[in-house]
């Protein structure tokens, strides 16, 4: 029942669409991958070697077997294993470098493909390909991931709550990032053992109020700027077609580069 009185409630309620309005909203991208694996009953997943620990860790906690494969200097998978009936391959779209025809070709080759678009939030989903997006890595929200899949687990995920993870976000908004960085680390640590849940109401509300076109243009400009300045030092061969999250370089700050 909705309470009346007591103290004022949060008034800012947005009514726009989220960017991935048709997707399943979950708490974490790593849990979205687990969701797919459990829904499709996969028993082994092949991961690129260029990957952090969060995905392998959640696979271990859920007793899901995994192995690794290499990627080349263009961030493309070097995967030559013939998949078993209950095996799948995770492809990470590093820096948004993969084109739609490339992704479709991987689907044709290996069939059981999970596409991780954590680094390319604005890429459109491709029909028939299980795809994960990470809103929390792109925007100032305490949780949030999106999943496109044609298979759902039985029942609805438990609802996630984020009211105890807002201090570092409000602190940065009102003061500065450095003063609340420890709070951010604590919030990250608290999510380490979280099971798959639905996205929190707070995060979903914020995601309905974002100017996505403006954010896209800013990130695109940041990527091109950094590419122009660092291309001679970069050991990776990257295309300007990508849209990097730029999280280390100021998410909303526009860099002014000649020709950028």
């Amino acid at each position: 029942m909705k309470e009346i009185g007591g103290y004022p409630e949060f008034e800012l309620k947005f009514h726009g669409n989220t960017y991935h309005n048709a997707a399943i909203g979950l708490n974490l991208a790593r849990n979205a991958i687990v969701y797919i694996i459990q829904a499709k009953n996969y028993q082994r997943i092949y991961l690129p070697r260029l990957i952090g620990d969060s995905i392998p860790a959640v696979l271990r906690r859920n007793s899901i077997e995994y192995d690794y494969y290499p990627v080349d200097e263009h961030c493309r998978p070097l995967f030559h294993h013939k998949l078993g009936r209950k095996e799948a391959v995770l492809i990470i779209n590093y820096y948004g470098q993969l084109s739609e025809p490339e992704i479709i070709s991987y689907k044709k080759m290996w069939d059981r493909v999970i596409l991780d678009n954590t680094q390319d939030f604005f890429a459109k989903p491709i029909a028939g390909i299980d795809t994960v997006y990470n809103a929390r890595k792109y925007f100032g929200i305490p949780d949030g991931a999106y999943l496109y899949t044609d298979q759902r687990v039985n029942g609805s995920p438990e609802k996630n709550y984020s009211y105890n993870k807002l201090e570092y976000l409000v602190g940065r908004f009102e003061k500065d990032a450095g003063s609340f960085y420890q709070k951010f680390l604590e919030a990250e640590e608290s999510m380490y053992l979280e099971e798959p849940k639905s996205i929190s109401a707070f995060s979903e509300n914020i995601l309905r109020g974002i100017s996505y076109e403006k954010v896209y243009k800013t990130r695109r400009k940041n990527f091109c700027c950094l590419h122009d300045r660092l291309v001679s030092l970069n050991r990776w061969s990257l295309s300007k077609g990508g849209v990097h999250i730029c999280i280390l370089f100021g998410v909303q700050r526009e860099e002014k580069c000649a020709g950028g």
Side-chain angles (χ1 to χ4, degrees):
M1 185 176 68
K2 180 80 171 177
E3 297 98 336
I4 299 175
Y7 54 88
E9 64 180 304
F10 187 69
E11 293 288 348
L12 195 59
K13 295 180 181 178
F14 299 107
H15 301 284
N17 289 328
T18 64
Y19 193 80
H20 293 288
N21 207 46
I24 301 171
L26 296 170
N27 55 342
L28 300 171
R30 70 195 79 158
N31 286 338
I33 292 172
V34 171
Y35 184 107
I36 294 171
I37 293 170
Q38 293 176 340
K40 300 206 166 180
N41 197 28
Y42 295 143
Q43 295 179 356
R44 177 184 288 269
I45 304 297
Y46 290 89
L47 310 174
R49 290 191 183 278
L50 185 60
I51 194 171
D53 184 57
S54 64
I55 293 175
V58 76
L59 295 181
R60 290 192 297 270
R61 290 201 305 274
N62 286 273
S63 301
I64 299 166
E65 296 181 4
Y66 63 90
D67 206 343
Y68 294 102
Y69 67 86
V71 297
D72 66 18
E73 70 275 13
H74 301 285
C75 300
R76 269 59 177 181
L78 295 173
F79 183 75
H80 306 294
H81 185 80
K82 184 177 180 180
L83 289 175
R85 190 169 56 88
K86 291 187 177 294
E87 296 181 334
V89 57
L90 177 73
I91 297 174
I92 296 179
N93 187 7
Y94 298 104
Y95 313 112
Q97 293 293 296
L98 297 180
S99 67
E100 183 171 319
E102 283 180 287
I103 295 168
I104 292 173
S105 73
Y106 298 144
K107 173 67 175 177
K108 289 179 179 178
M109 279 192 289
W110 304 312
D111 187 28
R112 291 176 293 283
V113 166
I114 301 172
L115 179 63
D116 185 339
N117 263 341
T118 291
Q119 298 181 26
D120 197 1
F121 182 86
F122 296 102
K124 297 296 184 181
I126 302 171
I129 298 179
D130 297 323
T131 306
V132 174
Y133 297 85
N134 194 333
R136 191 172 61 90
K137 294 295 186 183
Y138 264 75
F139 308 105
I141 52 176
D143 73 314
Y146 291 113
L147 167 62
Y148 289 91
T149 184
D150 59 2
Q151 187 76 39
R152 293 188 178 233
V153 298
N154 293 328
S156 300
E158 179 185 347
K159 191 168 185 62
N160 193 41
Y161 296 97
S162 59
Y163 54 82
N164 59 340
K165 301 184 183 74
L166 295 177
E167 184 175 355
Y168 71 94
L169 289 168
V170 177
R172 179 168 188 158
F173 183 82
E174 294 187 335
K175 193 175 178 184
D176 60 80
S179 299
F180 295 87
Y181 189 68
Q182 185 59 40
K183 292 293 183 180
F184 163 73
L185 295 178
E186 292 171 5
E188 289 287 299
E189 181 67 20
S190 72
M191 290 187 286
Y192 186 75
L193 297 177
E194 278 191 7
E195 295 301 315
K197 298 178 181 178
S198 65
I199 186 172
S200 69
F202 183 87
S203 291
E204 185 171 36
N205 179 57
I206 296 299
L207 289 167
R208 290 185 182 280
I210 291 173
S211 174
Y212 290 105
E213 183 178 0
K214 179 181 179 181
V215 172
Y216 173 84
K217 289 178 179 179
T218 300
R219 306 295 175 83
R220 182 86 178 96
K221 189 170 184 177
N222 285 348
F223 180 90
C224 291
C225 172
L226 293 166
H227 182 277
D228 289 343
R229 292 184 177 181
L230 302 176
V231 64
S232 63
L233 305 174
N234 199 345
R235 294 173 60 188
W236 293 90
S237 179
L238 301 179
S239 163
K240 277 190 178 182
V243 181
H244 181 35
I245 55 176
C246 297
I247 197 167
L248 299 179
F249 303 94
V251 169
Q252 297 299 338
R253 185 184 69 240
E254 288 196 19
E255 298 285 355
K256 296 182 179 179
C257 294

